[in-house]
Amino acid sequence: MSKVMSSNLGYPRIGENREWKKVLEQYWSHKVDAESFEKQMENIRLEHVKKQRDQGVDLIPLGDFSLYDHVLDTAVMFGVVPERFDYQGGKVPLDTYFDIARGTKDSPASEMTKWFNTNYHYIVPEFSGFAPELVENRPLAFYREAKEKLGIKGKPVIIGPFTFVKLSKGYDEKDENALVEKLVPLYAQVLKELQDEGVEWVQMDEPILCTSISKQKVERFKEIYGTLKQAAPHVKVILQTYFDRLDHYKEVTSIPVDGIGMDFIHDRGENWEALRKSGFPEDKILAAGVVDGRNIWRRNLVDAHSFVSSLADYVAKDRLIIQPASSLLHVPVTVRQEDALDKVLKKGMSFADEKLKEVALLAKALGEGVGTVEKELEESVNSIAALHESAGSTRDVLEEGSSNVRRISPYSIRRKVQPKLPLLPTTTIGSFPQTSEVRRQRMKWRKGEIGDDVYRQFIRGEIKRWIDIQEEVGLDVLVHGEFERTDMVEFFGGKLDGFQFTTFGWVQSYGSRCVKPPIIYRDVNFIKPMTVDETVYAQSLTDKPVKGMLTGPITILNWSFVREDLSRYTVANQIARSLRKEIESLEEQGIRMIQVDEPALREGLPLKKERWDEYLQAAVHSFKLATSSVQNETQIHTHMCYSDFEDIMEAISDLDADVISIETSRSHGELINIFEESTYDKGIGLGVYDIHSPRIPECEEIITHIKRSLKVLDPTQFWINPDCGLKTRGIAETISSLKVMVEAAEHVRSELLVKNE
Ligand code: GLN
Ligand code: ZN
């Protein structure tokens, strides 16, 4: 019998009842002062540490908790503050920290981007201002806090230098190595201070080791981590990777650290294969990720136990750590409260707390023998079997071949018969502000305090109000405003067959914004029209075209927790087929423009390039399956909110949408440059102002933005729209911003017309 240790990589910040979000928003709206804010946050932080201990975790992560985002935390720890913010060096003040994330009246926020292939957004560090310097040893502070307040000696978590630099901007690619080198003494200092404090374990996250990287890069890892080892030889560093397999297994496992953390869930069996083939170094610890940190299903513990037992054939048990495959940031906190769910479903699920229990059980079974936990292991198998049985099977494969995925005519022909619009048409991305009144009415309706009719009339009232506003502002293509939707995925999940919803299953998306991903547990099917009523009503109020508004199959897939007994692509096609019916219903009712949002398409891209084609082909197929049955006259729009776009340009074009709108303003127009090289010939709108910040844009700014775009794109293909939906913005600022946008559009339009006269 030997002790096998259990560990965790990161725990959700938001709390069982989103108390984190509430405190944060209270602080932002000046309802609590800084001192009470910090105190409340400390309580939440420590509560989470205790909870992890109570689930039986031996190595508890510290410093994974954040007041906004852990990448931003790393940046401010090194004083990496963009030049445009007021900062004089030293520890970054709390309000500056939030300013970087959220922007101020005068300074736009830092860019926000998805964390690898997840729906979590991090704040992109900008190396434009101060030279990096260690201004605050955060891991040390959190270590001390847990030790002093709870007597727990945790495991500080730090984003490693290679990943940190890779995720940052504001430097030339050729200077990447130099920048890493500049950071090394700072990291060394952090580690040395941790060592002086008596810290035993440190987790250094380097998920970029799971992207497609060169052997040469791994050699650089060896050098740099060698230097760090020398600086703090007594701290045990676990080099943590996740989300895919390692490239160059042998080289990575010989990086001079004490342990390697590997994902045995999202590696498609390839980490395991490499380990079997090449063995594992005897002087290292293997931190084995064997419980999925990205999905909500219970782990088959009999399988998992037999897997970790095979690992133990290669790695001595006292050198094995059992842990989730990634941080649990990506799953909700606990299933405990989900009493409204179907019993079988609830029993088949496992969120963060339950996953930690699974980890602890596996560690125990491996260390002490199955005997003590046999019942628990078996129960997991039975629960999953019951779940799969209740899910039913699929007819999808049979239908697969029969659906046409091609529009009737190519774009060059379609465009001639589609709605006529002014040059540089203006529009929005779909949603308008969801005021507290909208949320209150919805709540009342859900509780049964108001009936369907009253609620429907209320929504119609909002639609009418905003159609009037849009007319008044002078937009060319209108939308109904999405007032009936809480969330763009949840809404459709609620109307399609095959989905279920949790009550408390929130996950952080960015800042204080949380989403509650639906659960796809059965075949997805269309029941009845989902958006026709609101869209047709909106269209009846105006002569201008109203765009119908749907969420695309890949986004619904990527932002849901998806059943594991079918391939993800099969599920995507089931969703696509349902949306196709919705689109046909809209078209039948005379709607001539339909937008199918795919904001999650890019984030689903696998970490490894070699897997991109397969993913993109499947994504394009699903999108076309949903959208291709319409007449030439019907204009299909799509929207995506990200700017790192180069990689998937071809796939975007293959979607064959008539108009696409994408974000660019937060990345300060970097995207525009790619159109110099590639020729995109369909309609395109590059978001001309940032909606993630409350700041009202200046007309000049927007004009500059438009003109810059028109250097590479033809005015006849260019659309003018904000970056994304306006749901989270206030009413007054939205109207003001849109007025500025329309004014800018008119200005450029009239210049162009004069030129052509
Ligand atoms: N139509 C959606 C909206 O405007 C799009 C949101 C998104 O891209 N994330 O809210
Ligand atoms: Zn968007």
Side-chain angles (χ1 to χ4, degrees):
M1 224 168 68
S2 56
K3 163 93 181 155
V4 173
M5 273 208 291
S6 60
S7 180
N8 186 22
L9 312 187
Y11 187 78
R13 298 158 190 156
I14 59 178
E16 224 168 300
N17 297 305
R18 283 183 298 158
E19 40 282 34
W20 177 86
K21 171 193 175 73
K22 286 166 200 159
V23 177
L24 203 51
E25 290 176 356
Q26 274 173 5
Y27 179 67
W28 291 341
S29 59
H30 308 289
K31 292 198 184 101
V32 295
D33 62 15
E35 197 185 329
S36 134
F37 170 71
E38 303 252 23
K39 187 71 210 155
Q40 291 188 59
M41 281 300 189
E42 182 190 301
N43 288 342
I44 297 177
R45 191 160 54 227
L46 291 173
E47 202 46 51
H48 292 179
V49 174
K50 271 195 277 183
K51 270 180 83 186
Q52 294 178 74
R53 179 192 57 195
D54 297 345
Q55 308 304 329
V57 179
D58 299 314
L59 287 181
I60 298 169
L62 297 175
D64 57 322
F65 185 89
S66 177
L67 298 181
Y68 197 99
D69 161 48
H70 55 282
V71 181
L72 179 59
D73 292 347
T74 314
V76 300
M77 162 165 117
F78 296 132
V80 177
V81 174
E83 228 160 11
R84 59 188 179 279
F85 294 97
D86 181 26
Y87 171 61
Q88 316 299 337
K91 183 176 166 188
V92 175
L94 184 61
D95 290 333
T96 312
Y97 173 86
F98 288 132
D99 288 347
I100 302 170
R102 309 177 67 223
T104 65
K105 210 160 74 329
D106 311 309
S107 308
S110 277
E111 188 182 336
M112 198 165 62
T113 269
K114 307 251 168 166
W115 173 249
F116 297 91
N117 56 353
T118 74
N119 184 24
Y120 175 82
H121 304 65
Y122 70 90
I123 299 291
V124 181
E126 295 173 42
F127 280 95
S128 66
F130 285 74
E133 185 191 344
L134 182 65
V135 299
E136 185 197 4
N137 191 339
R138 295 174 52 90
L140 179 64
F142 292 123
Y143 180 83
R144 280 191 180 142
E145 180 185 72
K147 193 170 92 179
E148 280 158 21
K149 305 238 152 97
L150 302 172
I152 289 174
K153 294 185 179 172
K155 171 188 65 169
V157 178
I158 315 170
I159 298 178
F162 290 93
T163 297
F164 179 62
V165 167
K166 193 82 202 167
L167 299 183
S168 304
K169 60 187 247 178
Y171 63 89
D172 243 30
E173 217 172 301
K174 65 174 187 354
D175 298 331
E176 194 178 322
N177 283 339
L179 191 52
V180 169
E181 256 156 47
K182 220 191 237 170
L183 289 169
V184 169
L186 315 187
Y187 274 95
Q189 182 70 20
V190 170
L191 291 171
K192 206 179 145 335
E193 289 175 13
L194 290 174
Q195 172 172 291
D196 292 346
E197 182 73 18
V199 171
E200 189 181 355
W201 300 93
V202 170
Q203 170 186 323
M204 296 196 60
D205 283 1
E206 291 282 15
I208 62 152
L209 282 167
C210 293
T211 60
S212 301
I213 69 167
S214 66
K215 230 181 199 160
Q216 227 179 346
K217 188 63 164 246
V218 181
E219 288 307 316
R220 300 280 305 146
F221 266 81
K222 285 189 192 164
E223 280 168 45
I224 299 292
Y225 275 86
T227 311
L228 295 177
K229 183 79 217 163
Q230 273 170 11
H234 305 304
V235 175
K236 293 189 197 139
V237 170
I238 298 176
L239 184 67
Q240 185 60 53
T241 71
Y242 38 82
F243 298 155
D244 212 314
R245 65 136 209 268
L246 300 174
D247 273 355
H248 318 298
Y249 173 87
K250 269 185 121 158
E251 287 74 17
V252 172
T253 49
S254 58
I255 294 173
V257 287
D258 301 271
I260 308 282
M262 272 188 247
D263 184 333
F264 290 105
I265 297 287
H266 294 106
D267 65 329
R268 301 198 187 187
E270 291 167 4
N271 274 339
W272 171 223
E273 207 180 296
L275 188 145
R276 256 182 334 199
K277 207 168 112 219
S278 311
F280 190 77
E282 267 173 31
D283 60 345
K284 280 200 171 63
I285 285 156
L286 175 65
V290 295
V291 168
D292 195 340
R294 309 254 318 247
N295 214 336
I296 47 134
W297 306 109
R298 203 161 162 173
R299 178 75 159 113
N300 178 328
L301 292 178
V302 170
D303 281 358
H305 174 69
S306 97
F307 178 69
V308 294
S309 305
S310 344
L311 285 178
D313 293 340
Y314 294 82
V315 186
K317 283 185 189 171
D318 58 358
R319 294 193 161 274
L320 254 183
I321 295 178
I322 305 298
Q323 58 186 24
S326 67
S327 165
L328 300 175
L329 186 63
H330 312 288
V331 292
V333 179
T334 175
V335 183
R336 228 166 6 245
Q337 303 190 78
E338 300 296 342
D339 293 326
L341 281 183
D342 176 285
K343 291 270 171 313
V344 174
L345 182 59
K346 184 178 172 190
K347 269 192 114 174
M349 295 193 318
S350 161
F351 298 173
D353 286 353
E354 292 77 25
K355 283 178 191 295
L356 291 178
K357 213 167 242 154
E358 293 174 337
V359 163
L361 275 171
L362 287 170
K364 195 160 179 209
L366 188 62
E368 300 170 13
V370 176
T372 49
V373 292
E374 197 171 358
K375 259 196 26 227
E376 278 105 326
L377 301 198
E378 257 158 35
E379 202 204 310
S380 74
V381 179
N382 297 337
S383 307
I384 296 164
L387 181 72
H388 290 175
E389 198 175 316
S390 83
S393 69
T394 174
R395 302 155 285 95
D396 191 77
V397 186
L398 295 175
E399 286 182 25
E400 188 70 66
S402 61
S403 305
N404 179 24
V405 294
R406 236 221 192 90
R407 295 282 299 264
I408 298 167
S409 307
Y411 176 70
S412 53
I413 295 180
R414 288 176 343 233
R415 73 175 296 181
K416 295 191 186 122
V417 295
Q418 289 178 2
K420 294 271 168 294
L421 294 163
L423 195 62
L424 306 178
T426 53
T427 189
T428 61
I429 304 304
S431 60
F432 283 123
Q434 291 241 336
T435 55
S436 45
E437 182 56 16
V438 172
R439 285 196 297 266
R440 221 166 51 91
Q441 293 294 335
R442 181 160 40 237
M443 205 56 123
K444 277 183 157 171
W445 170 63
R446 282 197 174 153
K447 284 189 191 147
E449 289 167 18
I450 57 173
D452 292 353
D453 262 2
V454 176
Y455 180 63
R456 180 159 173 259
Q457 283 316 319
F458 171 78
I459 295 290
R460 286 192 163 211
E462 291 295 301
I463 294 175
K464 165 127 186 41
R465 181 147 78 104
W466 278 90
I467 289 288
D468 293 347
I469 293 174
Q470 294 174 81
E471 297 249 22
E472 145 99 26
V473 164
L475 291 159
D476 300 311
V477 171
L478 314 192
V479 295
H480 79 281
E482 302 180 27
F483 303 103
E484 74 288 9
R485 310 181 186 176
T486 40
D487 172 274
M488 63 189 291
V489 171
E490 186 187 25
F491 175 79
F492 290 94
K495 301 210 169 233
L496 290 166
D497 202 12
F499 288 74
Q500 277 267 331
F501 291 87
T502 60
T503 316
F504 302 97
W506 298 94
V507 177
Q508 185 190 2
S509 170
Y510 69 88
S512 69
R513 181 153 167 77
C514 299
V515 293
K516 196 163 64 169
I519 296 167
I520 303 178
Y521 79 121
R522 286 212 279 218
D523 288 343
V524 178
N525 274 306
F526 177 88
I527 304 171
K528 59 172 194 226
M530 303 176 275
T531 64
V532 172
D533 187 56
E534 291 84 1
T535 316
V536 168
Y537 173 67
Q539 184 65 84
S540 76
L541 301 171
T542 175
D543 294 333
K544 290 189 170 167
V546 170
K547 256 193 302 190
M549 202 52 64
L550 308 176
T551 305
I554 295 299
T555 298
I556 294 184
L557 183 83
N558 283 345
W559 288 353
S560 298
F561 291 121
V562 184
R563 64 194 282 186
E564 284 181 320
D565 60 329
L566 286 187
S567 103
R568 292 175 67 81
Y569 301 140
T570 304
V571 178
N573 289 339
Q574 290 182 354
I575 303 170
R577 223 167 261 123
S578 309
L579 291 172
R580 188 177 173 108
K581 292 193 180 131
E582 180 69 14
I583 291 174
E584 285 164 3
S585 316
L586 284 167
E587 200 181 28
E588 258 167 43
Q589 297 298 316
I591 300 302
R592 283 288 158 264
M593 293 185 182
I594 300 166
Q595 179 172 312
V596 179
D597 292 327
E598 283 290 22
L601 194 141
R602 170 69 176 75
E603 84 191 28
L605 211 54
L607 268 63
K608 300 261 184 244
K609 287 218 166 96
E610 73 213 41
R611 291 174 184 158
W612 284 10
D613 263 1
E614 177 199 315
Y615 169 78
L616 289 171
Q617 272 175 27
V620 168
H621 177 83
S622 299
F623 185 89
K624 291 172 81 176
L625 185 55
T627 55
S628 58
S629 68
V630 295
Q631 298 305 308
N632 282 342
E633 287 77 4
T634 302
Q635 190 169 63
I636 296 289
H637 289 231
T638 186
H639 164 72
M640 300 175 182
C641 26
Y642 38 78
S643 50
D644 39 353
F645 198 78
E646 289 112 283
D647 300 335
I648 54 166
M649 200 56 208
E650 217 180 291
I652 301 294
S653 183
D654 289 346
L655 295 176
D656 202 21
D658 299 295
V659 183
I660 177 171
S661 63
I662 43 186
E663 176 195 301
T664 41
S665 55
R666 218 176 206 202
S667 54
H668 313 294
E670 278 158 25
L671 168 68
I672 297 172
N673 303 334
I674 73 165
F675 293 102
E676 280 166 8
E677 268 112 70
S678 68
T679 41
Y680 190 79
D681 60 347
K682 300 179 203 99
I684 182 162
L686 304 178
V688 295
Y689 78 85
D690 177 15
I691 62 89
H692 302 89
S693 145
R695 182 174 166 273
I696 295 167
E698 307 273 337
C699 192
E700 268 313 305
E701 240 174 273
I702 299 188
I703 292 176
T704 313
H705 203 291
I706 299 174
K707 287 191 173 163
R708 204 165 143 205
S709 308
L710 291 182
K711 286 209 173 108
V712 290
L713 291 164
D714 196 87
T716 57
Q717 71 179 137
F718 198 68
W719 284 66
I720 295 189
N721 49 258
D723 250 7
C724 194
L726 296 157
K727 178 175 171 177
T728 56
R729 297 272 63 97
I731 296 179
E733 79 204 32
T734 296
I735 297 175
S736 307
S737 299
L738 288 175
K739 279 190 177 151
V740 177
M741 185 185 88
V742 169
E743 190 190 327
E746 275 164 1
H747 179 94
V748 181
R749 196 181 284 163
S750 59
E751 271 188 14
L752 286 170
L753 293 177
V754 169
K755 238 203 252 157
N756 287 343
E757 259 167 22

